[in-house]
DNA sequence: GATTTCATTTTGATTAGTCAAAGTCTCTTC
DNA sequence: GAAGAGACTTTGACTAATCAAAATGAAATC
């Protein structure tokens, strides 16, 4: 059995690698992501290599093996199912469940997880709009892009916010930018680095490119 | 925050002390109960003393302080609420949930626990018939004795099985000895060390005193 | 009272995970 | 191509939890 710590490293490497073409992740990203000293990450990665969960080239980076990817997907599944449960069943607020799930995901057995999945009606997306991997480690199909990539004058549905910090989520909620909501890009100006959009019938407002990038929509 | 290990020690000391008049628990019991070497228990107990969770007299025994008792009751509350959830909501079998709860109880936050309690309808007893402590650490009243102490010819309701090993629970279920069931002691013979009892309208059968002691009933 | 027994405590080692700080690469930049 | 900047790795040390085995104490037996 992998320890909770190992599970956390693998999960972090997986989510970081999803943003990278090559799937290769640098030591610094891992250390920063997990809030540990750089040296700690290095030595842990060597462990993970010994357990054949990652491949590691000194001073280059880390990639998941098939085994590591499987574990990572499993952790993502756990995390997202637990989050779904916390919101759907217990009625907690979707801005504050991340940390809770972070703990519970390590404590839940395969059997209980399956029951939970069934109880929740085998959901495909979690409350943030993230797809929940299936038991065999595959994501539900998703065709979504971030707001910065979107042509204007077309209605879109918010699917996912990639920044799950409480601050960002609160900001998003104030603006009505929650998964499921319909929005329209009314104007784009890449020079001034801004995207103007309208949520429902409210007055349009402008978003910087950093924020726009964090908001994924389906078209 | 106490570690999961500390929580386990305190919980074990609490349940052991509930069976003792003095509330004093020996080192051996703790070590055996937690399946650790005797020396491990000794050194851990010293830690707990430093944290003011227990009082400890060398070669005599351990008692919980008010603080320790509070933590222990909280752990019992967690454990039993989680068990209730696993059976009531997820439909798991009550003979196999103990170990699951053993993990989850450490991972669940106060807030989630409260929501869970509410969701379950603030239950007073868990699926084994054990009372669930309230948030302020008090047990629901209970007036129950074990089958060996019972006079015959009186209907009683099974409340609790004190041995939660899978083997015993399976045996109990085969015989219909589940919490909530009505039974009647038809004969007692303390010399031959046996209790005869009838479950519902089935044919009476005989139980040894060891087993009879493990079955608690209300009259 | 001396001896034996058995529970308990002490001791010394081990493992997982961590940090700070010192050392080493590699890639710019001039 | 030398120097410096940053990223990365190594080193040495620490904590929590554990074990096995040796030492100790207290109670029971002789």
């Amino acid at each position: 059995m992998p320890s909770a710590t190992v599970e956390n490293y693998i999960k972090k490497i997986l989510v970081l690698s999803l943003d990278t073409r090559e799937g290769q992740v640098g030591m610094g990203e891992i250390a920063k992501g997990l809030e540990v000293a750089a040296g700690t990450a290095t030595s842990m990665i060597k462990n993970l290599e010994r357990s054949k969960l990652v491949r590691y080239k000194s001073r280059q980076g880390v990639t998941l093996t098939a085994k590591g990817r499987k574990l990572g997907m499993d952790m993502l599944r756990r995390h997202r199912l637990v989050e779904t449960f916390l919101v759907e069943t217990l009625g907690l607020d979707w801005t504050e469940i991340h940390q809770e799930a972070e703990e519970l995901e390590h404590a839940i057995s395969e059997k209980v997880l399956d029951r939970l999945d069934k109880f929740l009606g085998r959901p495909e997306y979690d409350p943030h709009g993230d797809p929940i991997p299936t038991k065999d480690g595959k994501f539900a199909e998703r065709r979504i892009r971030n707001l910065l990539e979107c042509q204007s004058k077309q209605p879109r549905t918010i699917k996912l916010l990639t920044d799950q910090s409480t601050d960002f989520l609160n900001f998003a909620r104030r603006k009505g930018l929650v998964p499921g909501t319909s929005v329209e890009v009314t104007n784009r100006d890449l020079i001034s680095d801004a995207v103007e959009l309208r949520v429902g019938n409210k007055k349009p407002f402008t978003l910087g490119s950093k924020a726009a990038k964090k908001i994924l929509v389906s078209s």
Side-chain angles (χ1 to χ4, degrees), chain A:
Chain A
M1 279 297 100
S3 67
T5 309
V6 166
E7 291 179 344
N8 281 333
Y9 274 84
I10 293 297
K11 181 161 62 104
K12 182 58 72 177
I13 295 167
L14 176 62
V15 296
L16 289 173
S17 73
L18 289 178
D19 296 343
T20 328
R21 45 243 139 306
E22 285 302 306
Q24 186 155 92
V25 181
M27 217 35 94
E29 293 176 273
I30 298 170
K32 182 166 284 180
L34 294 169
E35 300 184 277
V36 295
T40 304
T42 302
S43 78
M44 189 61 189
I45 290 302
K46 289 184 181 175
N47 270 300
L48 300 182
E49 192 181 34
R50 250 173 275 129
S51 318
K52 302 206 190 299
L53 289 164
V54 303
R55 253 154 303 183
Y56 166 55
K57 290 270 189 179
S58 191
R59 282 170 213 272
Q60 290 197 216
V62 180
T63 52
L64 291 176
T65 61
K67 188 178 165 194
R69 194 181 171 79
K70 189 151 171 291
L71 176 58
M73 286 301 228
D74 190 45
M75 293 318 296
L76 234 44
R77 174 175 163 76
R78 286 156 183 275
H79 185 91
R80 292 176 182 176
L81 276 175
V82 169
E83 284 193 336
T84 305
F85 167 74
L86 292 175
V87 170
E88 298 278 306
T89 307
L90 296 189
L92 287 161
D93 194 295
W94 63 289
T95 56
E96 52 178 12
I97 55 179
H98 184 76
Q99 202 45 53
E100 306 279 359
E102 207 63 26
E103 295 293 324
L104 284 165
E105 66 189 8
H106 304 294
I108 202 162
S109 76
E110 200 58 36
K111 183 188 276 175
V112 171
L113 194 73
D114 284 348
R115 294 297 185 112
L116 192 62
D117 187 29
K118 192 175 151 198
F119 172 74
L120 294 169
R122 311 218 179 273
E124 296 200 344
Y125 295 94
D126 78 6
H128 297 109
D130 292 299
I132 299 171
T134 58
K135 216 176 161 187
D136 56 334
K138 297 209 175 66
F139 280 133
E141 198 57 49
R142 89 181 193 205
R143 294 241 237 77
I144 52 188
R145 350 166 170 267
N146 70 54
L147 269 181
L148 200 57
E149 300 163 335
C150 290
Q151 304 303 318
S152 41
K153 321 272 176 206
Q154 207 190 110
R156 325 215 170 231
T157 306
I158 295 185
K159 283 293 171 187
L160 175 75
L161 307 179
T162 61
D163 181 345
Q164 296 188 2
S165 70
T166 304
D167 280 353
F168 183 72
L169 293 178
N170 275 328
F171 159 78
R173 187 167 50 178
R174 255 197 332 273
K175 292 296 191 181
L177 300 170
V178 301
T181 302
S182 191
V183 299
E184 185 190 323
V185 175
T186 50
N187 218 323
R188 279 201 316 163
D189 184 349
L190 298 183
I191 315 299
S192 74
D193 185 51
V195 175
E196 189 188 69
L197 72 165
R198 188 174 57 216
V199 180
N201 296 320
K202 296 199 209 99
K203 199 171 65 180
F205 63 95
T206 303
L207 222 53
S209 69
K210 274 223 195 81
K213 232 183 201 164
K214 293 172 177 175
I215 298 169
L216 305 193
V217 297
S218 68
S219 37

